[in-house]
Tab-separated table of all heavy atoms in Angstrom:
chain	number	residue	atom	x	y	z
A	807	LYS	N	10.289	-7.678	8.255
A	807	LYS	CA	9.411	-8.806	8.063
A	807	LYS	C	8.651	-9.236	9.302
A	807	LYS	O	7.961	-10.272	9.320
A	807	LYS	CB	10.255	-10.049	7.580
A	807	LYS	CG	10.906	-9.798	6.221
A	807	LYS	CD	11.719	-11.027	5.795
A	807	LYS	CE	12.377	-10.782	4.434
A	807	LYS	NZ	13.152	-11.987	4.037
A	808	GLU	N	8.846	-8.472	10.392
A	808	GLU	CA	8.210	-8.869	11.640
A	808	GLU	C	6.969	-8.003	11.946
A	808	GLU	O	6.937	-6.825	11.625
A	808	GLU	CB	9.251	-8.673	12.815
A	808	GLU	CG	10.377	-9.650	12.732
A	808	GLU	CD	11.327	-9.451	13.952
A	808	GLU	OE1	12.123	-8.491	13.911
A	808	GLU	OE2	11.253	-10.248	14.877
A	809	ILE	N	6.011	-8.602	12.590
A	809	ILE	CA	4.773	-7.935	12.969
A	809	ILE	C	4.587	-8.110	14.468
A	809	ILE	O	4.513	-9.234	14.957
A	809	ILE	CB	3.543	-8.481	12.241
A	809	ILE	CG1	3.713	-8.314	10.728
A	809	ILE	CG2	2.270	-7.802	12.694
A	809	ILE	CD1	2.619	-9.004	9.949
A	810	PHE	N	4.476	-6.971	15.179
A	810	PHE	CA	4.279	-7.010	16.630
A	810	PHE	C	2.892	-6.445	16.934
A	810	PHE	O	2.454	-5.436	16.283
A	810	PHE	CB	5.361	-6.226	17.352
A	810	PHE	CG	6.717	-6.828	17.252
A	810	PHE	CD1	7.570	-6.506	16.235
A	810	PHE	CD2	7.128	-7.782	18.199
A	810	PHE	CE1	8.839	-7.079	16.145
A	810	PHE	CE2	8.376	-8.324	18.124
A	810	PHE	CZ	9.240	-7.984	17.105
A	811	ILE	N	2.226	-6.987	17.919
A	811	ILE	CA	0.875	-6.527	18.250
A	811	ILE	C	0.824	-6.232	19.744
A	811	ILE	O	0.761	-7.148	20.607
A	811	ILE	CB	-0.150	-7.592	17.929
A	811	ILE	CG1	-0.146	-7.830	16.384
A	811	ILE	CG2	-1.596	-7.113	18.336
A	811	ILE	CD1	-1.152	-8.916	15.934
A	812	PRO	N	0.884	-4.902	20.121
A	812	PRO	CA	0.789	-4.582	21.529
A	812	PRO	C	-0.669	-4.531	22.051
A	812	PRO	O	-0.898	-4.548	23.247
A	812	PRO	CB	1.386	-3.158	21.567
A	812	PRO	CG	1.157	-2.615	20.204
A	812	PRO	CD	1.218	-3.820	19.257
A	813	LYS	N	-1.664	-4.403	21.130
A	813	LYS	CA	-3.087	-4.386	21.497
A	813	LYS	C	-3.900	-5.060	20.427
A	813	LYS	O	-3.980	-4.666	19.303
A	813	LYS	CB	-3.525	-2.911	21.625
A	813	LYS	CG	-4.964	-2.755	22.039
A	813	LYS	CD	-5.178	-2.962	23.526
A	813	LYS	CE	-6.668	-2.851	23.905
A	813	LYS	NZ	-7.230	-1.512	23.589
A	814	MET	N	-4.540	-6.185	20.843
A	814	MET	CA	-5.309	-6.967	19.933
A	814	MET	C	-6.777	-6.584	19.995
A	814	MET	O	-7.284	-6.230	21.098
A	814	MET	CB	-5.186	-8.470	20.278
A	814	MET	CG	-5.936	-9.434	19.329
A	814	MET	SD	-5.142	-9.543	17.735
A	814	MET	CE	-3.746	-10.622	18.074
A	815	ASN	N	-7.436	-6.572	18.901
A	815	ASN	CA	-8.925	-6.435	18.841
A	815	ASN	C	-9.427	-7.319	17.717
A	815	ASN	O	-8.638	-8.050	17.046
A	815	ASN	CB	-9.369	-4.961	18.745
A	815	ASN	CG	-9.070	-4.346	17.394
A	815	ASN	OD1	-8.467	-4.976	16.510
A	815	ASN	ND2	-9.524	-3.134	17.176
A	816	GLN	N	-10.722	-7.254	17.442
A	816	GLN	CA	-11.304	-8.174	16.425
A	816	GLN	C	-10.753	-7.906	15.044
A	816	GLN	O	-10.496	-8.822	14.248
A	816	GLN	CB	-12.832	-8.090	16.397
A	816	GLN	CG	-13.489	-9.179	15.594
A	816	GLN	CD	-13.150	-10.567	16.142
A	816	GLN	OE1	-13.372	-10.889	17.256
A	816	GLN	NE2	-12.622	-11.436	15.242
A	817	GLN	N	-10.578	-6.621	14.692
A	817	GLN	CA	-10.055	-6.286	13.349
A	817	GLN	C	-8.652	-6.831	13.164
A	817	GLN	O	-8.311	-7.361	12.107
A	817	GLN	CB	-10.094	-4.762	13.162
A	817	GLN	CG	-11.471	-4.189	13.002
A	817	GLN	CD	-12.257	-4.099	14.276
A	817	GLN	OE1	-11.682	-3.808	15.304
A	817	GLN	NE2	-13.557	-4.288	14.202
A	818	ILE	N	-7.795	-6.666	14.167
A	818	ILE	CA	-6.415	-7.172	14.082
A	818	ILE	C	-6.401	-8.695	14.016
A	818	ILE	O	-5.705	-9.339	13.243
A	818	ILE	CB	-5.576	-6.683	15.273
A	818	ILE	CG1	-5.535	-5.127	15.256
A	818	ILE	CG2	-4.186	-7.250	15.177
A	818	ILE	CD1	-4.794	-4.530	14.104
A	819	CYS	N	-7.262	-9.305	14.835
A	819	CYS	CA	-7.340	-10.793	14.855
A	819	CYS	C	-7.777	-11.291	13.482
A	819	CYS	O	-7.188	-12.253	12.961
A	819	CYS	CB	-8.370	-11.225	15.946
A	819	CYS	SG	-8.503	-12.978	16.106
A	820	ASP	N	-8.754	-10.672	12.892
A	820	ASP	CA	-9.223	-11.051	11.558
A	820	ASP	C	-8.140	-10.866	10.541
A	820	ASP	O	-7.959	-11.761	9.645
A	820	ASP	CB	-10.443	-10.254	11.114
A	820	ASP	CG	-11.676	-10.601	11.955
A	820	ASP	OD1	-11.677	-11.652	12.645
A	820	ASP	OD2	-12.637	-9.795	11.897
A	821	HIS	N	-7.409	-9.774	10.615
A	821	HIS	CA	-6.282	-9.535	9.673
A	821	HIS	C	-5.248	-10.619	9.768
A	821	HIS	O	-4.807	-11.127	8.750
A	821	HIS	CB	-5.672	-8.157	10.005
A	821	HIS	CG	-4.589	-7.727	9.032
A	821	HIS	ND1	-3.635	-6.882	9.367
A	821	HIS	CD2	-4.352	-8.116	7.753
A	821	HIS	CE1	-2.840	-6.636	8.322
A	821	HIS	NE2	-3.279	-7.376	7.334
A	822	MET	N	-4.858	-10.991	10.965
A	822	MET	CA	-3.828	-12.019	11.124
A	822	MET	C	-4.339	-13.377	10.585
A	822	MET	O	-3.560	-14.076	9.904
A	822	MET	CB	-3.466	-12.168	12.579
A	822	MET	CG	-2.807	-10.913	13.238
A	822	MET	SD	-1.216	-10.478	12.502
A	822	MET	CE	-1.729	-8.981	11.575
A	823	GLU	N	-5.575	-13.674	10.908
A	823	GLU	CA	-6.115	-14.999	10.506
A	823	GLU	C	-6.339	-15.075	8.988
A	823	GLU	O	-5.940	-16.092	8.347
A	823	GLU	CB	-7.433	-15.305	11.246
A	823	GLU	CG	-7.253	-15.534	12.735
A	823	GLU	CD	-8.526	-15.924	13.434
A	823	GLU	OE1	-9.573	-15.863	12.736
A	823	GLU	OE2	-8.489	-16.136	14.643
A	824	HIS	N	-6.915	-14.045	8.398
A	824	HIS	CA	-7.262	-14.104	6.961
A	824	HIS	C	-5.982	-14.161	6.111
A	824	HIS	O	-5.985	-14.767	5.050
A	824	HIS	CB	-8.059	-12.885	6.572
A	824	HIS	CG	-9.464	-12.936	7.179
A	824	HIS	ND1	-10.227	-11.769	7.220
A	824	HIS	CD2	-10.153	-13.887	7.783
A	824	HIS	CE1	-11.379	-12.110	7.777
A	824	HIS	NE2	-11.360	-13.360	8.173
A	825	GLU	N	-4.912	-13.541	6.573
A	825	GLU	CA	-3.678	-13.530	5.760
A	825	GLU	C	-2.607	-14.461	6.282
A	825	GLU	O	-1.492	-14.529	5.770
A	825	GLU	CB	-3.127	-12.081	5.689
A	825	GLU	CG	-4.078	-11.150	4.958
A	825	GLU	CD	-3.495	-9.739	4.760
A	825	GLU	OE1	-2.242	-9.601	4.844
A	825	GLU	OE2	-4.262	-8.810	4.569
A	826	HIS	N	-2.988	-15.229	7.320
A	826	HIS	CA	-2.070	-16.255	7.924
A	826	HIS	C	-0.728	-15.609	8.248
A	826	HIS	O	0.362	-16.158	7.953
A	826	HIS	CB	-1.856	-17.398	6.905
A	826	HIS	CG	-3.172	-18.001	6.448
A	826	HIS	ND1	-3.995	-18.716	7.272
A	826	HIS	CD2	-3.762	-17.943	5.203
A	826	HIS	CE1	-5.048	-19.118	6.562
A	826	HIS	NE2	-4.924	-18.620	5.309
A	827	LEU	N	-0.778	-14.480	8.927
A	827	LEU	CA	0.466	-13.736	9.271
A	827	LEU	C	1.033	-14.143	10.595
A	827	LEU	O	0.314	-14.186	11.635
A	827	LEU	CB	0.115	-12.217	9.273
A	827	LEU	CG	-0.312	-11.616	7.943
A	827	LEU	CD1	-0.775	-10.186	8.131
A	827	LEU	CD2	0.854	-11.711	6.927
A	828	VAL	N	2.303	-14.422	10.592
A	828	VAL	CA	3.012	-14.746	11.861
A	828	VAL	C	3.229	-13.411	12.601
A	828	VAL	O	3.633	-12.432	11.992
A	828	VAL	CB	4.401	-15.390	11.520
A	828	VAL	CG1	5.171	-15.593	12.811
A	828	VAL	CG2	4.164	-16.718	10.773
A	829	HIS	N	2.937	-13.388	13.880
A	829	HIS	CA	3.037	-12.160	14.615
A	829	HIS	C	3.406	-12.469	16.104
A	829	HIS	O	3.248	-13.607	16.560
A	829	HIS	CB	1.728	-11.401	14.574
A	829	HIS	CG	0.570	-12.144	15.107
A	829	HIS	ND1	-0.127	-13.111	14.383
A	829	HIS	CD2	-0.022	-12.162	16.362
A	829	HIS	CE1	-1.074	-13.664	15.138
A	829	HIS	NE2	-1.073	-13.088	16.345
A	830	THR	N	3.826	-11.450	16.797
A	830	THR	CA	4.142	-11.555	18.191
A	830	THR	C	3.341	-10.588	19.034
A	830	THR	O	3.380	-9.386	18.720
A	830	THR	CB	5.642	-11.232	18.419
A	830	THR	OG1	6.409	-12.173	17.639
A	830	THR	CG2	6.017	-11.461	19.931
A	831	VAL	N	2.617	-11.032	20.002
A	831	VAL	CA	1.870	-10.170	20.915
A	831	VAL	C	2.770	-9.783	22.045
A	831	VAL	O	3.229	-10.662	22.811
A	831	VAL	CB	0.605	-10.897	21.431
A	831	VAL	CG1	-0.183	-9.996	22.385
A	831	VAL	CG2	-0.302	-11.289	20.252
A	832	VAL	N	3.009	-8.502	22.230
A	832	VAL	CA	4.025	-8.010	23.171
A	832	VAL	C	3.759	-6.588	23.545
A	832	VAL	O	3.245	-5.818	22.709
A	832	VAL	CB	5.427	-8.209	22.555
A	832	VAL	CG1	5.635	-7.300	21.378
A	832	VAL	CG2	6.505	-7.934	23.612
A	833	PRO	N	4.057	-6.157	24.749
A	833	PRO	CA	3.865	-4.760	25.138
A	833	PRO	C	4.728	-3.799	24.284
A	833	PRO	O	5.809	-4.189	23.798
A	833	PRO	CB	4.290	-4.686	26.626
A	833	PRO	CG	4.173	-6.101	27.099
A	833	PRO	CD	4.464	-6.951	25.910
A	834	VAL	N	4.287	-2.562	24.130
A	834	VAL	CA	4.997	-1.595	23.326
A	834	VAL	C	6.459	-1.481	23.757
A	834	VAL	O	7.369	-1.426	22.907
A	834	VAL	CB	4.307	-0.216	23.408
A	834	VAL	CG1	5.195	0.890	22.818
A	834	VAL	CG2	2.937	-0.241	22.679
A	835	GLU	N	6.692	-1.396	25.061
A	835	GLU	CA	8.076	-1.156	25.536
A	835	GLU	C	9.024	-2.290	25.208
A	835	GLU	O	10.225	-2.146	25.279
A	835	GLU	CB	8.043	-0.898	27.042
A	835	GLU	CG	7.467	-1.989	27.893
A	835	GLU	CD	6.002	-1.844	28.116
A	835	GLU	OE1	5.323	-1.106	27.348
A	835	GLU	OE2	5.475	-2.504	29.055
A	836	GLN	N	8.526	-3.497	24.846
A	836	GLN	CA	9.377	-4.584	24.517
A	836	GLN	C	9.563	-4.790	22.986
A	836	GLN	O	10.282	-5.694	22.591
A	836	GLN	CB	8.771	-5.880	25.101
A	836	GLN	CG	8.750	-5.901	26.612
A	836	GLN	CD	8.170	-7.205	27.152
A	836	GLN	OE1	8.189	-8.239	26.560
A	836	GLN	NE2	7.641	-7.150	28.400
A	837	ILE	N	9.028	-3.923	22.213
A	837	ILE	CA	9.155	-3.997	20.760
A	837	ILE	C	10.442	-3.335	20.337
A	837	ILE	O	10.749	-2.227	20.762
A	837	ILE	CB	7.957	-3.345	20.043
A	837	ILE	CG1	6.658	-4.070	20.448
A	837	ILE	CG2	8.109	-3.382	18.518
A	837	ILE	CD1	5.424	-3.442	19.903
A	838	PRO	N	11.260	-4.011	19.497
A	838	PRO	CA	12.550	-3.423	19.048
A	838	PRO	C	12.331	-2.129	18.340
A	838	PRO	O	11.238	-1.795	17.875
A	838	PRO	CB	13.096	-4.466	18.135
A	838	PRO	CG	12.439	-5.752	18.513
A	838	PRO	CD	11.059	-5.377	18.991
Side-chain angles (χ1 to χ4, degrees):
K807 296 181 181 179
E808 295 182 281
I809 301 172
F810 294 90
I811 300 178
K813 180 78 181 301
M814 184 71 77
N815 70 355
Q816 190 60 54
Q817 288 75 36
I818 300 294
C819 183
D820 290 345
H821 186 204
M822 297 298 106
E823 290 183 358
H824 292 164
E825 296 185 20
H826 308 289
L827 295 173
V828 176
H829 60 278
T830 303
V831 178
V832 64
V834 168
E835 58 271 16
Q836 295 181 23
I837 298 174

